[in-house]
Amino acid sequence: MLNKLPSSISALLDARANGHSLPAGLYVREDVFEADIDVFFHNHWICVGLDCDVPEPGDATVIDIGKTSLILLRDDDGEIRVLHNVCRHRGSRLLDPGKTIVSKLVCPYHTWTYELTGELRYAPHMGKDFDKECRSLKPVTFKSIGGLIYVCLSDNPPEDIAILEQAMTERLAPYDIRNAKVAFQTDVIEDGNWKLTMENNRECYHCSANHPELCVSFVDLDFGFDPETLSPEDREQAEEHFRLYEERTNAWESDGFPSAAVEQLADCATNFRTQRLIIAGAGESQTHDATAASSKLLGHMTRKDLGDTHLWGHNSWNHFMGDHAVVATVIPLSAGKTLVRTKWLVHKDAVEGVDYDLDKLTDVWVATTDQDADLVARSHAGTLDPAYQPGPYSRFSETNLDKFASWYIDRMRAHGY
Amino acid sequence: MLNKLPSSISALLDARANGHSLPAGLYVREDVFEADIDVFFHNHWICVGLDCDVPEPGDATVIDIGKTSLILLRDDDGEIRVLHNVCRHRGSRLLDPGKTIVSKLVCPYHTWTYELTGELRYAPHMGKDFDKECRSLKPVTFKSIGGLIYVCLSDNPPEDIAILEQAMTERLAPYDIRNAKVAFQTDVIEDGNWKLTMENNRECYHCSANHPELCVSFVDLDFGFDPETLSPEDREQAEEHFRLYEERTNAWESDGFPSAAVEQLADCATNFRTQRLIIAGAGESQTHDATAASSKLLGHMTRKDLGDTHLWGHNSWNHFMGDHAVVATVIPLSAGKTLVRTKWLVHKDAVEGVDYDLDKLTDVWVATTDQDADLVARSHAGTLDPAYQPGPYSRFSETNLDKFASWYIDRMRAHGY
Amino acid sequence: MLNKLPSSISALLDARANGHSLPAGLYVREDVFEADIDVFFHNHWICVGLDCDVPEPGDATVIDIGKTSLILLRDDDGEIRVLHNVCRHRGSRLLDPGKTIVSKLVCPYHTWTYELTGELRYAPHMGKDFDKECRSLKPVTFKSIGGLIYVCLSDNPPEDIAILEQAMTERLAPYDIRNAKVAFQTDVIEDGNWKLTMENNRECYHCSANHPELCVSFVDLDFGFDPETLSPEDREQAEEHFRLYEERTNAWESDGFPSAAVEQLADCATNFRTQRLIIAGAGESQTHDATAASSKLLGHMTRKDLGDTHLWGHNSWNHFMGDHAVVATVIPLSAGKTLVRTKWLVHKDAVEGVDYDLDKLTDVWVATTDQDADLVARSHAGTLDPAYQPGPYSRFSETNLDKFASWYIDRMRAHGY
């Protein structure tokens, strides 16, 4: 018969074997999903948007993280604010999903009216003695790191975001993401657990068979390979590639562009990795022919040969190139549904059809994202199958998944599970 | 970490603070929804339909209340019957949702055949000695009060329905709702908890910002206002309005039309309120210009100036005017879905296009119902948000919500929660 | 108040009264559904497909049983194989739902490549010392009985399948189902519990009122009748029918065609019944006029007058006739959703439009299946109703339902519930 009582989450964490994917329950159970939301999306820093989502004072956009709804806005002084989208009267949503322009935040229910700072200005019918002070919209702890908005929904945000902040502030400066323009955005809902989405992003073992468009510019060798199974020609090519890394990294760094890998993937709250990667072929950009898609470069960039500054977080991935950037955030919707929101950024003055062709800009990652959604869905479906058992990660090209799974277990433990 | 065990329902009830909206769990949790169905929809009287839903012998209509399906019908003797829509053989539904005309109730599965009284008449294949007596369709306890059908699904229906019955039998008599005609009906499914639907109906604080059509004829002052924040002109107008109430109520009552408020909103099982309200402007009816929509008045009415007899229950609201009535019943579908069924009633002999214009008859409440559905949905979404915390009710215009919330807590307690 | 703790499954099993349908919870609760999947679909033999679903080497079809996905294929040696559709690497689905042709089974994720036997042949990036031996696709225990594929997902398949195997191997031989052709297939999702689907199939009490097309060729008397309620003419007709059975059964058996009923419906794991039934009217086939739909008879059949060899299992029903066969398998999807997959089989060389007319072949059971889906849905809806209570089975025409319900309780008990 069935075990009438399902395993505790703690027992599932215990059952994880090093070097192997997670026990099924950690991917598929709704109680684990609730715990994940609590631990990884409420008690860790997550990347949720960009300064340039709200370029002008009064610009506002709503970001939903599970049942939590946030308003990201730029106030009258040009400052970024992140506020809970919940009226302090009877809880009504103030703004609908999507973007809008506001001068005040007026609740449509009973017209309680807040300043863009969140301060309650007007609350009709509440009496002259009503204390408006304690009824401001609840603010959310956030940081803009090089133009990327990280929030933490808990009262005790992990302090080790400082390492990420230090590394990325310098690396992102030349791209001036804070003043970029969002040229395009897609929302793809993957039929899989968010951890499968992240695992899929952290290996390129699947790239050659699944991402023909991406493989023009992206070098899967960078994310690991099995030297013993390479042909002599391929091995020579791999060795040449890593010689080139030393050369390029030295050259880039001596030109003032930090490039070497910085990562914090274990024994930490804030999980990230960054490195300046070589772009293959024409070497400029992640496009169908590896040449730049935008003739107006990002920010203060003057060169197209500075590779791809990649940045991972536990709910995001990013590629910053000379001409454009691709930034993706991941929001779990349920144990088996995950939103992947991808934005393509160009210089704020770049004009579509003049400085860049939108198809060329977006083709590669639109295709890659769709391909990944299919892979995550078939992976999730298999994980649901009683015949699934955790499989072995490749010790060459899936070590980062092993680290991610170990970090996941550690963080769950750190939060009492 | 999360509390691994969610609060008990009892703890949620304890957590409610007077003067404030309910703790989130009471609006959004499915276990609370199940408890609500048990307490408020199975163990209290609920309004589910009208005598005039089934005007002729053989007319039948199916009313679903959660998983419970009822057949409201008029039998061969012209009597109203309410029966469970469950065959006593293997449980098949006898009738499909909606209206029909029947001479017997024949189960489509194995043709068990019942009289319109519910008596089992024919049960093939069951043998000559089969005792049909104990296999009648199960009857439902009901009362027709002035033509409104109240049912109670429990074996111990609350006795204090008597107060409602006494008040409304007299007040509804002139409208002769029992013999009215249902001119129009809408079913709107609101994306919110039924208690938010009821709270929304019990205040008019939100009217001026949301219901331009209704505000032509409806006076939001009647449901409370903050005297200190009125302008001198508005205060004078308010004082004039309440002087007018005294005058009108006296005049109506001396003409034999009970008008003063009668309410039972605390320390009771059966929650209701009735009062004859002043209609604004032209003063006749809740239409776009406050004039009557039907030239043939309801029942025995001879005057259009008798205002709006409003009646609240815990799952219904009603407005009875000279020319027509609007009656609405509320059926919860899940913690976050609620059916609002609205009917527009006219004199049984009133002819569409001759005596009344259907658009004029229905415009105001069709618009109001849609507007309310939007408000309830945004209220429910906010209540789901971890950032929600119960907010303060206005002590001027939300006292009836405070009373409703307190009554809700009391009734849950009375049923052992 | 509600019982805060719902009854245990064991208490529901205890509550079942002989001669009556099951307590509601056994039909509608999701925890019972999970238990049913465990007991009846993982620990008993279930019929899931046909040899002739995969007629040629390399043919493969995916069969989903709840969250379990199976690959039924024919390997390079022409042998049938049933394998779990779960890659041994990270669990990805290998094949999509539906039919396909394969030379190897290649996981689309990281190109792990398996032989059609399930053996892992190629696993890139895993290192030279990686042990592929222990990473074959997991095989599934199965039997092909006369061309019908039965699987058992547990390690201890019930041994009493032998009785079914012995009976059906001989009976099905002349039809050569192993080499038939699937001429048509439908998937109907019924809005009801799988046990209601099976109950519906095990009685013909509902046939006369619901299946006009089927009743041309199918004799509902075969599944029981109440002799006392028949008219003298009908009783004479019934007696004549059963006299005819004796005559036909003797004649068929003396011609070498086993025909008498064989059944195992109690005190067993493997629940089945078979009998050669008389076809009414023209006597050839279950078509609109009871004449054969295919001029090319099945397998080695040379006669159209050999009736209908019916076969029930606990998740299947089948009718084998001279010209064609109808086989149906039942897969529960949730407590209230059940997949009924029906296939129409003809001789492998029969050509549509030449040897058979597809409409004539399929009309009767397409209509019957739709009618049954409606009945199961209204039965399930009633079972959900709090007013439902288990009803009495007819002791004439529902004895097989009573046996099925008793067998269900016994098997649940045998598995520890």
Side-chain angles (χ1 to χ4, degrees):
Chain A
M1 72 180 288
L2 285 172
N3 291 318
K4 288 187 184 177
L5 293 172
S7 310
S8 68
I9 294 178
S10 179
L12 290 175
L13 299 172
D14 283 342
R16 199 250 159 171
N18 281 337
H20 288 72
S21 57
L22 296 171
L26 296 176
Y27 294 117
V28 305
R29 277 174 34 178
E30 288 298 331
D31 60 337
V32 174
F33 167 74
E34 298 287 346
D36 281 5
I37 290 288
D38 172 45
V39 174
F40 298 94
F41 290 81
H42 286 180
N43 281 289
H44 284 74
W45 290 95
I46 52 174
C47 189
V48 300
L50 299 161
D51 285 45
C52 64
D53 282 327
V54 287
E56 301 294 332
D59 284 347
T61 186
V62 169
I63 299 162
D64 290 332
I65 301 160
K67 294 167 179 170
T68 299
S69 184
L70 305 181
I71 300 171
L72 168 66
L73 63 78
R74 193 175 292 270
D75 72 17
D76 298 331
D77 297 329
E79 297 299 312
I80 297 286
R81 301 269 177 175
V82 186
L83 302 168
H84 283 286
N85 185 17
V86 181
C87 182
R88 298 300 306 280
H89 175 214
R90 274 165 51 203
S92 173
R93 290 277 180 247
L94 296 153
L95 296 187
D96 290 328
K99 299 197 170 207
T100 188
I101 299 171
V102 287
S103 56
K104 308 278 183 201
L105 292 165
V106 183
C107 179
Y109 208 162
H110 304 93
T111 66
W112 284 32
T113 302
Y114 305 84
E115 300 294 339
L116 299 190
T117 59
E119 198 186 345
L120 178 59
R121 174 67 63 218
Y122 174 64
H125 290 228
M126 297 308 290
K128 271 168 85 175
D129 55 345
F130 178 64
D131 181 8
K132 289 202 280 283
E133 295 293 314
C134 65
R135 293 278 157 189
S136 299
L137 291 181
K138 292 184 180 175
V140 175
T141 304
F142 76 96
K143 278 180 180 289
S144 168
I145 299 177
L148 308 180
I149 307 284
Y150 287 81
V151 303
C152 182
L153 296 171
S154 87
D155 294 334
N156 293 301
E159 294 179 3
D160 64 0
I161 185 84
I163 318 290
L164 165 65
E165 190 169 15
Q166 186 180 21
M168 296 314 298
T169 300
E170 185 181 9
R171 288 182 184 220
L172 291 180
Y175 301 99
D176 194 18
I177 296 304
R178 199 162 268 125
N179 291 302
K181 177 178 91 166
V182 179
F184 196 63
Q185 175 173 332
T186 60
D187 278 8
V188 171
I189 294 175
E190 297 187 348
D191 288 325
N193 187 264
W194 72 278
K195 298 187 290 292
L196 295 174
T197 300
M198 297 314 301
E199 290 191 29
N200 178 71
N201 184 257
R202 293 207 171 183
E203 48 96 349
C204 214
Y205 180 177
H206 71 276
C207 289
S208 63
N210 289 281
H211 298 318
E213 299 84 355
L214 183 64
C215 284
V216 171
S217 56
F218 204 81
V219 186
D220 56 4
L221 289 168
D222 287 353
F223 290 84
F225 62 99
D226 173 2
E228 292 171 332
T229 59
L230 290 187
S231 66
E233 296 75 32
D234 285 351
R235 195 173 317 159
E236 201 171 309
Q237 205 182 327
E239 282 161 12
E240 170 58 23
H241 179 66
F242 290 100
R243 269 195 303 276
L244 194 60
Y245 254 105
E246 217 181 311
E247 193 183 303
R248 289 268 179 96
T249 302
N250 288 339
W252 286 330
E253 298 218 326
S254 70
D255 288 349
F257 298 101
S259 304
V262 177
E263 64 182 33
Q264 182 168 277
L265 301 174
D267 303 321
C268 61
T270 304
N271 183 305
F272 82 99
R273 183 186 198 279
T274 186
Q275 185 186 0
R276 191 177 302 269
L277 300 173
I278 289 172
I279 293 172
E284 295 178 356
S285 191
Q286 287 168 353
T287 59
H288 69 87
D289 61 1
T291 66
S294 175
S295 58
K296 199 176 284 290
L297 299 189
L298 272 175
H300 323 306
M301 298 291 283
T302 55
R303 293 164 55 178
K304 301 178 189 172
D305 65 348
L306 287 168
D308 160 29
T309 296
H310 99 95
L311 168 65
W312 287 341
H314 81 262
N315 88 315
S316 62
W317 56 83
N318 307 269
H319 296 281
F320 303 96
M321 296 157 286
D323 68 321
H324 81 281
V326 179
V327 301
T329 56
V330 170
I331 304 290
L333 303 177
S334 68
K337 297 266 178 204
T338 302
L339 172 67
V340 175
R341 175 165 290 164
T342 309
K343 295 170 189 168
W344 285 259
L345 310 181
V346 294
H347 189 281
K348 70 171 163 19
D349 299 329
V351 176
E352 185 182 339
V354 177
D355 299 305
Y356 64 93
D357 176 73
L358 191 62
D359 283 344
K360 178 167 178 182
L361 184 75
T362 60
D363 274 356
V364 167
W365 274 101
V366 164
T368 302
T369 301
D370 285 350
Q371 291 150 357
D372 282 335
D374 179 63
L375 295 171
V376 168
R378 63 173 59 241
S379 195
H380 190 82
T383 308
L384 280 165
D385 197 306
Y388 166 86
Q389 66 187 63
Y393 288 131
S394 161
R395 62 193 160 93
F396 303 107
S397 47
E398 295 180 306
T399 50
N400 281 319
L401 281 65
D402 192 32
K403 285 179 192 165
F404 183 73
S406 298
W407 175 82
Y408 171 82
I409 302 285
D410 286 351
R411 300 315 300 162
M412 290 288 276
R413 293 290 186 212
H415 284 80
Y417 286 96
Chain B
M1 72 179 288
L2 286 171
N3 291 318
K4 288 186 185 177
L5 293 173
S7 310
S8 68
I9 293 178
S10 179
L12 291 175
L13 298 173
D14 282 343
R16 198 250 158 171
N18 282 336
H20 288 73
S21 57
L22 296 172
L26 296 177
Y27 294 116
V28 305
R29 276 173 36 178
E30 288 298 330
D31 60 336
V32 174
F33 167 73
E34 298 287 347
D36 281 5
I37 290 288
D38 172 45
V39 173
F40 297 95
F41 290 81
H42 286 181
N43 281 288
H44 285 73
W45 290 95
I46 52 175
C47 189
V48 299
L50 299 161
D51 286 44
C52 64
D53 282 326
V54 287
E56 301 293 331
D59 283 349
T61 187
V62 168
I63 299 162
D64 290 331
I65 301 160
K67 294 167 179 169
T68 299
S69 184
L70 305 181
I71 300 171
L72 168 66
L73 62 78
R74 193 175 292 268
D75 71 18
D76 299 331
D77 297 329
E79 297 299 312
I80 297 285
R81 301 269 177 175
V82 186
L83 302 167
H84 282 286
N85 185 18
V86 181
C87 182
R88 297 300 306 279
H89 175 213
R90 274 163 53 204
S92 173
R93 290 278 180 246
L94 296 154
L95 297 187
D96 290 328
K99 299 197 171 205
T100 188
I101 298 172
V102 287
S103 56
K104 307 279 182 200
L105 292 164
V106 183
C107 180
Y109 208 161
H110 304 92
T111 66
W112 284 33
T113 301
Y114 304 85
E115 299 296 338
L116 299 190
T117 58
E119 198 185 344
L120 178 58
R121 173 67 63 218
Y122 173 65
H125 290 228
M126 297 307 290
K128 271 168 84 174
D129 55 344
F130 178 65
D131 180 10
K132 290 201 280 284
E133 295 292 313
C134 65
R135 292 277 157 189
S136 299
L137 290 180
K138 292 183 180 176
V140 175
T141 303
F142 77 96
K143 278 179 181 290
S144 167
I145 298 177
L148 308 179
I149 306 285
Y150 287 80
V151 303
C152 182
L153 296 171
S154 88
D155 293 335
N156 293 301
E159 293 179 4
D160 63 0
I161 185 85
I163 318 289
L164 166 64
E165 191 169 12
Q166 187 180 20
M168 296 315 298
T169 300
E170 185 182 8
R171 288 182 185 221
L172 291 180
Y175 301 100
D176 194 18
I177 296 305
R178 199 163 267 126
N179 291 302
K181 177 178 92 166
V182 179
F184 195 63
Q185 176 173 331
T186 60
D187 278 7
V188 171
I189 293 175
E190 297 188 346
D191 288 325
N193 187 264
W194 72 279
K195 298 187 290 292
L196 294 174
T197 300
M198 297 314 302
E199 289 191 28
N200 178 71
N201 184 257
R202 294 207 169 181
E203 48 96 349
C204 214
Y205 180 177
H206 70 275
C207 289
S208 63
N210 289 282
H211 298 318
E213 299 85 355
L214 183 65
C215 285
V216 171
S217 56
F218 204 81
V219 186
D220 56 4
L221 288 168
D222 287 353
F223 290 84
F225 61 97
D226 173 1
E228 292 171 332
T229 59
L230 290 188
S231 66
E233 296 75 31
D234 285 350
R235 195 173 318 158
E236 200 171 310
Q237 204 182 328
E239 283 162 11
E240 170 58 21
H241 180 66
F242 290 100
R243 269 195 304 276
L244 194 60
Y245 255 105
E246 217 181 313
E247 191 183 305
R248 289 268 178 97
T249 302
N250 288 338
W252 287 330
E253 298 218 325
S254 71
D255 288 348
F257 298 101
S259 304
V262 177
E263 64 182 32
Q264 182 168 277
L265 301 174
D267 302 321
C268 61
T270 303
N271 183 306
F272 82 99
R273 183 184 198 280
T274 185
Q275 184 186 0
R276 191 177 303 268
L277 300 173
I278 290 172
I279 294 172
E284 296 178 354
S285 190
Q286 289 168 353
T287 60
H288 69 87
D289 61 0
T291 66
S294 175
S295 57
K296 200 176 281 292
L297 300 188
L298 271 175
H300 323 304
M301 298 291 285
T302 54
R303 294 164 54 179
K304 300 180 191 172
D305 66 347
L306 287 168
D308 160 29
T309 297
H310 98 96
L311 169 65
W312 287 341
H314 80 264
N315 88 315
S316 62
W317 56 83
N318 307 269
H319 296 280
F320 303 95
M321 296 158 286
D323 68 323
H324 81 282
V326 179
V327 301
T329 55
V330 169
I331 303 292
L333 303 178
S334 68
K337 297 266 178 205
T338 302
L339 172 68
V340 176
R341 176 165 290 163
T342 309
K343 296 170 189 169
W344 285 258
L345 310 182
V346 294
H347 189 282
K348 71 171 160 26
D349 299 328
V351 177
E352 186 182 337
V354 177
D355 299 304
Y356 65 94
D357 176 73
L358 192 62
D359 283 344
K360 178 166 180 183
L361 184 75
T362 60
D363 275 357
V364 168
W365 273 101
V366 164
T368 302
T369 301
D370 285 349
Q371 291 150 356
D372 283 335
D374 178 63
L375 295 171
V376 167
R378 66 171 58 240
S379 195
H380 191 82
T383 309
L384 280 164
D385 196 305
Y388 166 86
Q389 66 187 62
Y393 288 130
S394 161
R395 62 192 161 93
F396 303 107
S397 47
E398 296 180 304
T399 49
N400 281 318
L401 282 64
D402 192 32
K403 286 180 191 165
F404 183 73
S406 298
W407 175 82
Y408 171 82
I409 302 286
D410 286 350
R411 299 315 300 161
M412 289 290 274
R413 293 289 188 213
H415 284 80
Y417 287 96
Chain C
M1 73 179 290
L2 285 173
N3 291 318
K4 287 187 185 176
L5 293 173
S7 309
S8 68
I9 293 178
S10 179
L12 291 175
L13 299 173
D14 282 342
R16 198 250 158 171
N18 282 337
H20 287 72
S21 57
L22 296 171
L26 296 176
Y27 295 116
V28 305
R29 275 172 38 176
E30 288 298 330
D31 60 337
V32 175
F33 167 74
E34 298 287 347
D36 281 5
I37 290 289
D38 173 44
V39 174
F40 297 95
F41 290 80
H42 286 179
N43 281 288
H44 284 73
W45 290 94
I46 52 175
C47 189
V48 299
L50 299 161
D51 286 44
C52 64
D53 281 327
V54 288
E56 301 293 332
D59 284 348
T61 187
V62 169
I63 299 162
D64 290 331
I65 300 160
K67 294 167 180 170
T68 299
S69 184
L70 305 180
I71 300 172
L72 168 66
L73 63 78
R74 193 175 292 269
D75 72 18
D76 298 331
D77 297 329
E79 297 299 312
I80 297 286
R81 301 269 178 175
V82 186
L83 302 167
H84 282 286
N85 185 17
V86 182
C87 182
R88 297 300 305 279
H89 176 213
R90 274 163 53 203
S92 173
R93 290 278 181 246
L94 296 153
L95 297 187
D96 290 329
K99 299 196 171 206
T100 188
I101 298 171
V102 287
S103 56
K104 307 278 182 201
L105 293 165
V106 183
C107 180
Y109 208 161
H110 304 93
T111 66
W112 284 33
T113 301
Y114 303 85
E115 298 295 339
L116 299 190
T117 58
E119 199 186 343
L120 178 59
R121 174 66 63 216
Y122 174 65
H125 290 228
M126 296 308 289
K128 270 167 86 175
D129 55 344
F130 178 64
D131 180 9
K132 290 201 279 283
E133 294 293 314
C134 65
R135 293 277 157 189
S136 298
L137 291 181
K138 292 184 180 176
V140 175
T141 303
F142 77 96
K143 278 178 180 291
S144 167
I145 299 177
L148 308 180
I149 306 284
Y150 287 82
V151 303
C152 182
L153 296 171
S154 87
D155 294 334
N156 293 301
E159 293 179 3
D160 64 359
I161 185 84
I163 319 289
L164 166 65
E165 190 168 14
Q166 187 179 18
M168 297 314 298
T169 300
E170 185 181 9
R171 289 183 183 221
L172 291 180
Y175 301 99
D176 195 18
I177 296 305
R178 199 162 267 126
N179 290 302
K181 178 178 91 166
V182 179
F184 196 63
Q185 176 174 332
T186 60
D187 278 8
V188 171
I189 294 175
E190 297 188 347
D191 288 326
N193 187 265
W194 72 278
K195 297 187 290 293
L196 295 174
T197 300
M198 297 314 302
E199 290 190 29
N200 177 71
N201 183 257
R202 294 208 169 181
E203 48 96 350
C204 214
Y205 179 178
H206 71 275
C207 289
S208 63
N210 289 281
H211 299 318
E213 298 84 356
L214 183 65
C215 285
V216 170
S217 55
F218 203 81
V219 186
D220 56 4
L221 288 168
D222 288 353
F223 290 84
F225 62 97
D226 173 1
E228 292 171 332
T229 59
L230 290 188
S231 66
E233 296 75 31
D234 285 350
R235 195 174 315 158
E236 201 172 308
Q237 204 182 329
E239 282 161 11
E240 170 60 22
H241 179 67
F242 289 101
R243 269 195 304 275
L244 193 61
Y245 254 105
E246 217 180 314
E247 192 183 304
R248 290 267 179 98
T249 302
N250 287 339
W252 286 331
E253 297 218 325
S254 70
D255 288 349
F257 298 101
S259 304
V262 178
E263 63 182 34
Q264 182 169 275
L265 301 174
D267 303 320
C268 61
T270 303
N271 183 307
F272 82 99
R273 184 185 197 279
T274 186
Q275 185 186 359
R276 191 177 302 270
L277 301 174
I278 290 172
I279 294 172
E284 296 178 355
S285 191
Q286 288 168 353
T287 60
H288 69 87
D289 61 1
T291 67
S294 175
S295 58
K296 201 177 283 290
L297 300 188
L298 272 175
H300 322 305
M301 298 291 284
T302 54
R303 294 165 54 179
K304 300 179 189 172
D305 65 347
L306 288 167
D308 160 28
T309 297
H310 100 95
L311 168 65
W312 288 341
H314 79 263
N315 88 314
S316 62
W317 55 83
N318 307 269
H319 296 281
F320 303 96
M321 296 157 286
D323 68 320
H324 81 283
V326 179
V327 301
T329 55
V330 169
I331 303 291
L333 303 177
S334 68
K337 296 267 179 204
T338 301
L339 173 68
V340 176
R341 175 165 291 163
T342 310
K343 296 170 189 169
W344 285 258
L345 310 181
V346 295
H347 189 281
K348 72 170 159 28
D349 299 328
V351 176
E352 186 182 337
V354 177
D355 299 305
Y356 65 93
D357 177 72
L358 192 62
D359 283 344
K360 178 166 179 183
L361 184 76
T362 60
D363 274 357
V364 168
W365 274 101
V366 164
T368 302
T369 301
D370 285 349
Q371 291 149 357
D372 283 335
D374 178 62
L375 295 172
V376 167
R378 66 171 58 239
S379 195
H380 190 82
T383 309
L384 280 164
D385 196 305
Y388 166 84
Q389 65 187 62
Y393 288 130
S394 162
R395 61 193 161 91
F396 303 106
S397 47
E398 296 181 305
T399 51
N400 281 318
L401 280 65
D402 192 32
K403 285 179 191 164
F404 183 73
S406 298
W407 175 82
Y408 171 83
I409 302 285
D410 286 351
R411 300 314 301 162
M412 290 288 275
R413 294 288 187 213
H415 284 81
Y417 287 95

